[in-house]
Each structure stands twice: as C-alpha cells, then as structure tokens.
C-alpha cells in the first residue's frame, strides 16, 4: 500500500487566495503534479461539487475538502497550512489548516479506513497543534503517517464506533439505571470524513454530559449496524446525515432529532440536548415505521434463522415501493380507461400521443399510460425482492446477482417463491466470494466485476438448471389452489390473514401476509379476482389496529397515558392510510393486552371482506384508494366492525385484566414503603 502523503503534497505557510475554490484548485494541482491524478480539472470539479453539497469547514480552524473522483489513481492526502486563513463555512471562522482527501472511485476498504481514521484524528487538539507547529513538509508527513500507521498494520481502530461506537459514559452495553440512553447515525455523501468526525464529536460530547450514546457510522469504510438490543433500549435517536439513513425502520417509534452531518461536528452538545428534550415531549417528531422494522439490526448472537429473516425483511422493504406505486398506477389506469384497458394499453401508448389521441379520447390515452407505467413497475417485484434479499446478506455486491436471479425467476414462471430462493442463493454466493483474500491490485475489481459475475453465474445457473422448474410448478399449484377456494375456506383464509396482519404490526409476520397479497396482484384478472380479494382482506385488516387504538383513547381516555392519547390522534390518519405501525406505541407499552385485542378485530375484518367479495386493485393507500376498491361499502363496514371489536376488547382487557407489575414499579413501591 503506497503512502497517502509525501512532502511534495504539502504546502506550508502559503497564501492561496481568499476563496475555497482557489485553495482546492492548488491542492488538486499538487495531487496531479505528484502523479496521483490523471487531470487537474476533473479532480477540481469533483471536489467543488462535494463542497457545494455541504461546506467542509469544521471548528478549530480546519477544513477537509474531499471527494471520490475518477481522475484520482490512488488515495491521497494533500495538506495546506495557510498564511492567510480562508472561510470554508465553519461557525467559528476561517480555516488555516486544509486537508484535501482524494479517493478513487473504486477505492478499497483498507484505504478508506485509513482516510476515515485520519479525518477522525483531526478532532484531536494535540494532533492539530502539532501540525501547526511543524517546521517542514517532512515533519507534516511524519505526523500523519504516525496517525494512520496503526490502521495499515491491521488495527482497524475506527471499527468500534462503526459497530458500536463508544458510549458517552464509556460503556458498551445498555445504559445504567437512571441514565438516558441515545443512539445516533452519521452519514455524509462520500462517507470518508464528516461521517466519522460527527460520530466522534457526538461521543465526546455525550461522555462529557454523562449520557449513554452509541453511534452507527454509515460510511464508505463499511457499516456494522447497531445491535437490536441497543436500539430497543434507547430513549431517542439522532440522525446527523446528508443522505438517507439505511434501514430507518429499525428505529420506528423513537423520538428523533435530524440535521445535516456538519451540525453534529459544530454543535454536538446542542443536538444531544435536543434529543433529550424530545424524549419527554409527546409531540416530538418520531421515526416513521416504514420498511422492515428489524432489517439489518444485528443481535449479539444472531443465528442462521435470524440472518435469513433479516435478509427477507430487507428484500420485502425495498420491494414494497415498486408494488405500492405500480399498483396505484394500475388502479388509476382502470379508473380512467376502464377494465378493458389491459387489452389495448400497449397499442395505445406506442401508436398514439397527446397530439394523436386514440378512439375514446384523452381519458383512454392517460389510462393506458398510467396502466403501462404501473405494469412495468410491478414487473420489478420479483427482481427487486431477490436483489435486496441478496443485499441484506452481502451488501452492495449482492444487488446485481440478486436482480439477475430474480429476473430469471420471473422468466421461468417461478414468481415470488423463486425470487426468494434466487435472492438467497445470490446473497450467499456474493458474500462467500467477497470473503476471498485477493491481491491489492485486484480488490477494486471485486465488488464491481468479479463478485457480480461469479455470483450471477452461480445463482442464476442453479435457477435455470435445477431449481426454476420445480419452483414454477409449485407456484402454479398454489395459484390454482387459491383460485379454487370457495365458501368457508375463503373466509378462513381471510381470518388467518387478519390475524397475521395484527400479530406484530409491521413486523415479519405482518410482512409475510402483505407480501403474499401483493405477489399475486400481477396474476389477477377479471376472470380471476382471488388475488384482488386477498389484497382487500390484508389492507382492511391492517387498518384495524391503529384505528381501534385511536377509538379506544376516545371512548375511555383515563385508561391511557397523555402520550398514548396524543398518539391516538395520529393513529386515526395512520390507520386510514393503511399504516399498521400506528398501533406500535400502544403495543410496545402494553403488548399482552393490545396485540390480542388487535388480532381479534383484524381477524373479523379479514373474514368479512372475503365473505362479502370485496376486492382491491391497489396494494396500499387505505381508504384513500376507494376508487380501486370494488364493494367499497362492504370494505368500510368490515373495517368499522373490526375497529369497534378491537377497541372494546382492549378497553375490557385494560379494565379487568391487571397488568403485571414491572421491576421499576416494584422498586418505586419499595422506596415509598421504606420512606
């Protein structure tokens, strides 16, 4: 591994202008002059583009412009100590120490860990003081080399915060009694510098304040998710991010403070104070329950079944947007173009336009366009499922072979079941191949060429040669069985689906029932409406738990805490929108009474919708997609009946079934007695 920095990459005590752009350009020239970039302009443009997203100035007179660039040939650090400080956007004024981190597009993990380690070291005052006191470029190089040397020797010192960052109290477990516990996620667009510096700033501030804090860094050097037990024990969560949080559903229901990643560097104490204030504020913003609630949360002793479940939930959570959006578009196509739009959609969209409308006019044309967009979106159902199952096992290298295996499954008629099998095969293959020890010159090719190639051959080859045919036969047999169900068997199926939807309110069992419903939508026709009936039963049953909790807080307010009554107001809209997770705050506080009551009403609703022949052509949206529901009055009546049953049941259970005392309440009682 070549050195990150050499004396020719250091500019000491120079005036490089009065703007960040001139400083960045000079450093880009140093990198190119050292033979570490193919061109100045490409590196300069990429670094400026990154600077435009978020200013890179940080407290202490520092700035860390950084980027990934195709112009960079090897990871490089260029340093400038300015005689005339330049304003890089830090709250405490201009910067005199500038560190430009330039990484190639395909930088391997070892280099990225080194760059991340260096960025974190800039938060240490003794290191920056030594850099300011250095008298020569060679002394700067020695200081930097001494910092990154432990990493190059194999001690990945950044991994503790990435996996389970040091807590504010210096512990690595759950918060001690009486101590507030927080978790945080940090991430920036490039994932090299700000991600890790923000994590260290939050940890240092929490330690000073006596707060238990653990941080998950979602950076380029990899990310090990926080343990599920740590998330469960947290009172609130901090998102210091400039990009989407991966698998945000793990934090569902937690009070949340979110800001750009730079704020965690500039104001870590203020962010922690805001998070603590949110804990006691019933109106505080909370993490929504979308996605797989358990996706990528790693328990300390995760066995094979848990790993498979986590991968399946990851796949389902990423598949749902394709299905929800596509299904709603298909429903809108039916609304505008009628049910025969399926027969003419292809012809209309290819042969007509806004200036050449088909017979039937604008409504037929728009209906055909919406239907076709929705149908194409639904076509990604199985590939997306398989691709992100593989991603849940092998991270990004698993996506391509997973998508290919899913496409093969669709081609062979193996459908949803084939997508699951293909995704698991692709993920296992990608993870196994990715574990190979290869020469450094080959590392950059592994995630972009070698792993996708070999894993695709393995997973898709097995689907074509061995597994695809039998799975396709099983899928066809299951479809025939569902189509042949009549009478009592249909009602029993609705009852079972209702029980599943309310069993864990957005968890694995709920997602299995929902996935079963949406997987069949593509096969539904006017002659085969069973998949539409199943979809209606699942959606109606999933709406019952939050609506029932909302109704219960109105019928008997004194049985619920002030926070629960506030949550009840939000649950009206969540339930009407088919967001089962709206009942999670109630179930988390009192699971043994809320969940059975929810299951009772949801099962009733599921059975009634099947018995009354209600159908839904939309996979999501609740009452707001009424236009896609056949027998909408039956749909509403079934929901109302189920909601009343669950609300009365939970009130009865709270009145007449005593809740087991908690350890905290016993301790409080003992304290009162002793007093």
């Amino acid at each position: 591994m070549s050195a990150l920095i050499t004396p020719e990459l250091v500019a000491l005590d120079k005036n490089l202008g009065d703007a960040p752009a001139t400083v960045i350009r000079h450093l880009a020239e140093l990198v190119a002059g050292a033979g570490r970039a193919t061109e100045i302009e490409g590196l300069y443009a990429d670094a400026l583009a990154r600077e435009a997203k978020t200013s890179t100035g940080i407290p202490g007179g520092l700035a860390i412009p950084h980027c990934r660039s195709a112009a960079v040939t090897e990871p490089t650090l260029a340093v400038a100590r300015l005689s005339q400080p330049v304003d890089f956007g830090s709250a405490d004024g201009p910067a005199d120490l500038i560190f430009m981190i330039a990484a190639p597009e395909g930088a391997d993990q070892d280099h990225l860990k080194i760059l991340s380690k260096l960025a974190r070291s800039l938060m240490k005052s003794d290191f920056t003081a030594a850099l300011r006191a250095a008298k020569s470029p060679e002394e700067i190089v020695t200081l930097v080399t001494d910092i990154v040397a432990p990493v190059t020797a194999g001690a990945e010192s950044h991994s503790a915060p990435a996996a389970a960052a040091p807590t504010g109290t210096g512990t690595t477990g759950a918060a001690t009694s009486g101590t507030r516990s927080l978790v945080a996620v940090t991430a920036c667009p490039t994932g090299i510098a700000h991600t890790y510096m923000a994590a260290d700033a939050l940890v240092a501030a929490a330690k000073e304040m006596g707060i238990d804090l653990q941080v998950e860094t979602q950076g380029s050097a990899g990310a090990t998710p926080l343990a599920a037990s740590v998330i469960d024990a947290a009172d609130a969560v901090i998102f210091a991010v400039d990009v989407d949080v991966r698998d945000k559903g793990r934090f569902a229901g937690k009070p949340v403070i979110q800001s750009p990643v730079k704020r965690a560097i500039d104001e870590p104490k203020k962010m922690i104070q805001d998070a603590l204030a949110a804990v006691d504020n019933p109106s505080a913003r909370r993490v929504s329950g979308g996605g797989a609630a358990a996706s990528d949360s790693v328990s300390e002793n995760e066995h094979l079944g848990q790993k498979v479940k986590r991968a399946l939930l990851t796949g389902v959570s990423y598949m749902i947007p394709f299905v929800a959006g596509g299904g709603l578009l298909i429903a809108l196509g039916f609304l505008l173009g009628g049910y025969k739009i399926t027969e003419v959609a292809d012809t209309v969209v290819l042969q007509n336009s806004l200036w050449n409308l088909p017979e039937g006019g604008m409504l037929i044309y728009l209906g055909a366009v919406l239907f076709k967009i929705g149908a194409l979106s639904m076509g990604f159902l199985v590939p997306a499922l398989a691709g992100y199952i593989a991603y849940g096992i092998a991270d990004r290298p698993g996506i391509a072979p997973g998508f290919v295996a899913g496409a093969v499954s669709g081609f062979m008629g193996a459908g949803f079941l084939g997508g699951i099998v293909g995704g698991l095969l692709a993920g296992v293959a990608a993870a196994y191949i990715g574990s190979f020890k290869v020469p450094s010159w080959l590392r950059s090719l592994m995630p972009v060429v070698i792993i996708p190639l070999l894993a695709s051959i393995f997973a898709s080859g097995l689907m074509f040669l061995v597994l695809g045919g039998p799975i396709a036969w099983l899928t066809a047999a299951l479809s025939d069985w569902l189509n042949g169900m009549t009478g009592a068997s249909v009602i029993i199926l609705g009852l079972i689906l209702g029980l599943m939807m309310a069993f864990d309110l957005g968890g694995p069992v709920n997602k299995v029932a929902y996935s079963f419903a949406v997987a069949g939508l593509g096969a539904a026709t006017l002659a085969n409406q069973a998949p539409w009936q199943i979809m209606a039963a699942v959606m109606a049953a999933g709406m019952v738990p939050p609506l029932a909790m909302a109704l219960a807080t109105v019928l008997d307010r004194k049985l619920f805490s002030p926070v629960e009554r506030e949550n009840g107001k939000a649950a009206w809209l969540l339930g009407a929108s088919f967001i089962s997770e709206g009942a999670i705050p109630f179930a988390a506080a009192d699971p043994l009474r809320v969940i059975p009551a929810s299951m009772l009403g949801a099962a009733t609703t599921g059975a009634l919708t099947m018995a009354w022949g209600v159908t839904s052509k939309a996979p999501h949206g609740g009452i707001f997609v009424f236009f896609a529901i056949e027998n909408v009055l039956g749909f509403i009546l079934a929901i109302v009946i189920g909601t009343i049953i669950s609300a009365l049941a939970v009130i009865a259970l709270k009145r007449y079934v005593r809740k087991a005392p908690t350890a905290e309440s016993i301790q409080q009682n003992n304290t009162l007695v002793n007093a």
Side-chain angles (χ1 to χ4, degrees):
M1 185 180 295
S2 59
L4 278 176
I5 184 172
T6 61
E8 60 189 321
L9 293 167
V10 180
L12 284 187
D13 304 320
K14 292 190 176 182
N15 185 343
L16 300 182
D18 57 359
T22 60
V23 178
I24 291 172
R25 183 173 185 86
H26 182 83
L27 293 175
E29 291 172 353
L30 290 183
V31 175
R36 293 168 175 255
T38 57
E39 58 168 329
I40 296 172
E41 295 302 327
L43 173 57
Y44 173 61
D46 290 335
L48 275 188
R50 170 60 187 89
E51 192 76 12
K53 293 178 180 177
T54 310
S55 59
T56 56
I58 58 176
L62 306 173
I64 46 167
H66 55 281
C67 68
R68 290 172 179 262
S69 176
V72 178
T73 57
E74 59 182 305
T76 300
L77 173 70
V79 178
R81 192 172 70 194
L82 305 179
S83 59
Q84 180 65 39
V86 173
D87 186 3
F88 272 78
S90 177
D92 68 342
D96 65 324
L97 276 179
I98 317 299
F99 299 81
M100 181 170 175
I101 300 173
E105 288 282 13
D108 59 55
Q109 293 295 302
D110 290 339
H111 276 120
L112 292 172
K113 289 172 182 174
I114 293 171
L115 294 174
S116 302
K117 168 67 173 176
L118 176 63
R120 303 175 88 143
S121 299
L122 297 178
M123 302 300 293
K124 300 176 181 177
S125 58
D126 55 344
F127 177 58
T128 54
L131 291 171
R132 286 192 170 93
K135 300 188 183 323
S136 67
E138 289 77 13
E139 194 172 345
I140 294 284
V141 171
T142 300
L143 288 168
V144 171
T145 303
D146 288 344
I147 283 292
V148 301
V151 180
T152 60
E156 299 175 8
S157 58
H158 92 286
S159 63
T167 64
T169 57
T171 66
T172 55
T176 57
S177 178
T179 302
R180 289 292 196 190
S181 177
L182 304 176
V183 291
V185 175
T186 60
C188 72
T190 52
I192 295 174
H194 283 77
T195 300
Y196 301 95
M197 298 172 75
D200 285 355
L202 287 170
V203 167
K207 186 172 184 178
E208 184 177 335
M209 298 168 69
I211 303 299
D212 188 279
L213 172 71
Q214 298 200 37
V215 184
E216 178 182 311
T217 52
Q218 297 184 353
S220 292
T224 302
L226 289 167
S229 59
V230 172
I231 296 174
D232 291 341
D235 297 302
V237 58
I238 295 171
F239 290 152
V241 295
D242 291 328
V243 294
D244 288 341
V245 176
R246 300 175 197 167
D247 304 299
K248 189 185 290 186
R250 294 173 292 155
F251 305 92
K254 298 286 183 185
V256 61
I257 297 298
Q258 182 163 346
S259 75
V261 66
K262 193 169 181 293
R263 187 189 174 208
I265 301 173
D266 295 339
E267 302 177 337
K269 287 186 179 179
K270 181 66 168 60
M271 288 198 74
I272 292 172
Q273 289 168 352
D274 290 348
L276 295 174
V279 174
D280 299 316
N281 180 5
S283 301
R285 178 186 171 196
R286 294 178 180 268
V287 182
S288 62
S295 178
D296 275 4
S297 285
V298 180
S299 63
E300 290 78 1
N301 297 298
E302 189 179 50
H303 56 67
L304 178 61
Q306 291 173 321
K307 291 178 181 178
V308 172
K309 182 187 77 172
R310 178 165 54 85
L312 292 176
L313 288 174
T314 300
V316 170
S317 69
Y318 280 99
M319 173 200 75
I320 286 174
F322 290 97
V323 177
L328 289 171
L329 286 167
I330 289 174
L332 287 170
F334 284 137
L335 177 67
L336 297 180
Y339 293 120
K340 291 188 177 181
I341 197 67
T342 58
E343 302 171 7
V344 299
D346 288 0
T347 302
V348 169
V349 297
L350 292 175
Q351 297 184 5
N352 297 101
S353 67
L354 289 173
W355 299 272
N356 178 27
L357 294 174
E359 183 179 350
M362 180 66 77
L363 289 180
I364 295 295
Y365 180 68
L366 293 178
V369 170
L370 292 174
F371 175 83
K372 196 59 189 175
I373 295 173
L376 292 172
S377 177
M378 290 289 287
F380 285 99
L381 187 155
V382 176
L385 174 68
Y388 288 106
I389 287 175
Y391 166 75
I393 297 172
D395 213 325
R396 292 183 184 178
I399 293 178
F403 263 83
V404 174
V408 170
S409 175
F411 174 76
M412 299 190 70
F416 184 71
L417 295 177
I420 292 175
V421 173
L424 291 172
L425 289 173
V428 170
Y432 177 68
I433 297 167
S435 67
F436 293 171
K437 300 297 183 183
V438 298
S440 58
W441 58 267
L442 191 59
R443 288 175 187 163
S444 62
L445 291 177
M446 288 292 287
V448 295
V449 177
I450 297 172
I451 295 175
L453 173 65
L454 297 181
S456 295
I457 292 173
F458 174 78
S460 297
L462 274 179
M463 290 298 294
F464 268 126
L465 300 175
V466 181
L467 299 173
I471 297 175
W473 174 86
L474 180 61
T475 299
L478 179 61
S479 178
D480 292 341
W481 174 68
L482 288 174
N483 294 338
M485 292 183 70
T486 58
S489 58
V490 170
I491 297 174
I492 292 173
L493 176 61
L495 186 146
I496 293 172
L497 291 172
L499 290 171
M500 294 175 69
M501 288 301 294
F503 178 75
D504 54 1
L505 303 172
V509 177
N510 173 286
K511 287 294 186 286
V512 167
Y514 181 72
S515 301
F516 171 71
V518 298
L521 284 179
T525 63
L526 289 176
N528 171 28
Q529 298 195 17
W532 289 337
Q533 287 182 282
I534 292 171
M535 190 70 254
V538 164
M539 183 152 62
M543 294 166 66
V544 167
L547 290 174
M549 296 306 107
L551 178 60
T553 60
V554 172
L555 295 178
D556 200 338
R557 290 173 55 84
K558 65 180 181 295
L559 292 176
F560 299 90
S561 68
V563 172
E564 287 177 323
R565 291 198 290 268
E566 285 296 319
N567 289 332
K569 296 175 183 177
W572 286 112
L573 180 59
L574 294 174
S577 305
F578 179 37
I579 300 176
S580 303
E581 291 88 342
I584 285 178
F586 301 91
D590 193 2
L592 295 181
R593 291 185 287 192
V594 170
I595 290 179
S598 297
M599 291 174 67
L600 183 62
T604 303
T605 295
L608 290 175
T609 55
M610 293 295 280
W612 293 339
V614 179
T615 64
S616 173
K617 300 174 185 65
H620 215 289
I623 197 62
F624 300 104
V625 291
F626 62 90
F627 56 84
I629 297 170
E630 193 74 24
N631 189 7
V632 68
L633 291 179
F635 180 76
I636 294 172
L637 184 58
I639 293 170
V640 169
I641 292 172
T643 297
I644 293 172
I645 290 174
S646 284
L648 294 178
V650 77
I651 289 173
L653 289 173
K654 283 180 174 288
R655 282 183 180 177
Y656 305 117
V657 178
R658 292 187 61 189
K659 184 178 180 181
T662 62
E664 183 180 0
S665 65
I666 293 173
Q667 184 177 7
Q668 290 173 346
N669 289 337
N670 290 338
T671 302
L672 290 173
V673 170
N674 294 333

